[in-house]
Each structure stands twice: as structure tokens, then as C-alpha cells.
Amino acid sequence: MRRLAASIPPWLPRWALLLASLVGWGLFMRAVLINVLGTISLADEDIGGMGIDEARSNGTRVRLLAGDITQVSVDAVVNAANSALAGGGGVDGAIHAAAGPSVMAELRDRYDGCPTGSAVITGAGALPARHIIHAVGPVWRGGGHDEPAQLRAAYAASLDRATEAGDASVAFAAISCGVYG
């Protein structure tokens, strides 16, 4: 393990740490990890040729994983949902298919949609998790419609739902990176 030191800017939102776990581009990821975590430990295992597998800070571990999010055993899985919470294609469809119909039934019973930048929580159905957090990110419209702030809000809302539910481990799907993102 090697140690890197940097200061944590007070304006940097907490979601940036999790964004680093989703993005595997070496220099960007290193910059985010250094700027967000302050003093961190980075493992030397190689992920995608980037040399980063895991970062730790103050008891928090961030891991970069590639695989099937429906098979990850965690407290909560964050789904990239649409604002109608109607299921869809891509990761949203895969999570709903693996979780089974109880999740969609719970969404219909408890919620009437979810605005962009927000997140709601349900049970996980047949997934090896306790909860699914359904986060709604923005549809990219050129960058002039507050898309970055909406995306930050979706990640922050996901962490808020996880905290409220007592979930300690969270796996994020990349929000707003599909056909509309």
C-alpha cells in the first residue's frame, strides 16, 4: 500500500468519493481520490491498467468493481431509474428482472414517480441485498440545463436513503450513463 496526502476542499461534495468508484479513468480517478479523501491508502492491484483497486479513508473503503450489479451482496444497490419509476432497459431493466415483480409492486404502492436529482428506496426482492435505491439522474441536454447539479443531487440523495435505512455497504450503477444520459 502506498500513501498519498492532500487536503480535502470543504466545497467538494461527498458524492465525488463514490463517483471515483464508478469511473475507471486513471488520472481522473486518482485526482478525485486524492482531492476527496485527503490522506488515503491505495492498493497496488491493477484494475483496467490503472493500478487502482481500492482506497481507504477514515474507516470507509471504496472499491472499483466490474461485474453484474445484480449479483453483488451489499446492503443496498443503487439503480439508475427513470422519473416514472416504471422500469426500463439497461441496468434498470436488469435490476428489475433479477429482483422480481415485488419491487415494481412496492414502487407502485409507495411512490408516484421520483423527480430528477432524487432517490427512493424499496426492498430488494430476490437480489442478494436488503434494499434497492432508485436514483433519477438527468437526461443530458447539452450541459446548459443544470445537469451536473442534478447528477450530484441524485448521488447525494442515494447516500441519504442508504444512511436513513442503516445501509453500510452500497453498490452504485452508473447514473445517467445509459441511452438518455
Side-chain angles (χ1 to χ4, degrees):
M1 301 287 259
R2 54 199 153 124
R3 308 236 355 128
L4 301 175
S7 61
I8 301 172
W11 50 264
L12 197 65
R14 64 186 173 161
W15 63 266
L17 171 64
L18 288 166
L19 182 61
S21 72
L22 300 173
V23 179
W25 303 307
L27 293 176
F28 175 77
M29 185 170 179
R30 289 177 194 270
V32 170
L33 287 170
I34 291 167
N35 286 329
V36 173
L37 293 177
T39 302
I40 62 171
S41 298
L42 292 178
D44 288 323
E45 290 86 9
D46 189 29
I47 294 291
M50 300 302 148
I52 297 176
D53 174 48
E54 176 178 299
R56 295 176 187 261
S57 177
N58 300 326
T60 299
R61 181 174 71 171
V62 176
R63 298 199 67 190
L64 176 64
L65 303 171
D68 183 349
I69 196 167
T70 67
Q71 300 299 310
V72 179
S73 182
V74 291
D75 291 330
V77 168
V78 178
N79 178 27
N82 58 55
S83 61
L85 300 175
V91 71
D92 190 20
I95 288 173
H96 278 282
S102 66
V103 173
M104 188 58 75
E106 184 177 351
L107 282 169
R108 278 192 302 266
D109 290 346
R110 293 181 59 192
Y111 304 106
D112 184 27
C114 181
T116 301
S118 299
V120 298
I121 191 167
T122 64
L127 295 182
R130 292 184 336 135
H131 299 109
I132 299 173
I133 298 169
H134 307 266
V136 181
V139 173
W140 182 256
R141 297 185 295 159
H145 295 79
D146 211 22
E147 294 97 324
Q150 292 173 334
L151 184 58
R152 281 192 298 274
Y155 277 97
S158 299
L159 292 173
D160 290 343
R161 297 302 83 75
T163 300
E164 292 162 4
D167 294 334
S169 58
V170 181
F172 277 82
I175 300 170
S176 288
C177 291
V179 67
Y180 297 109

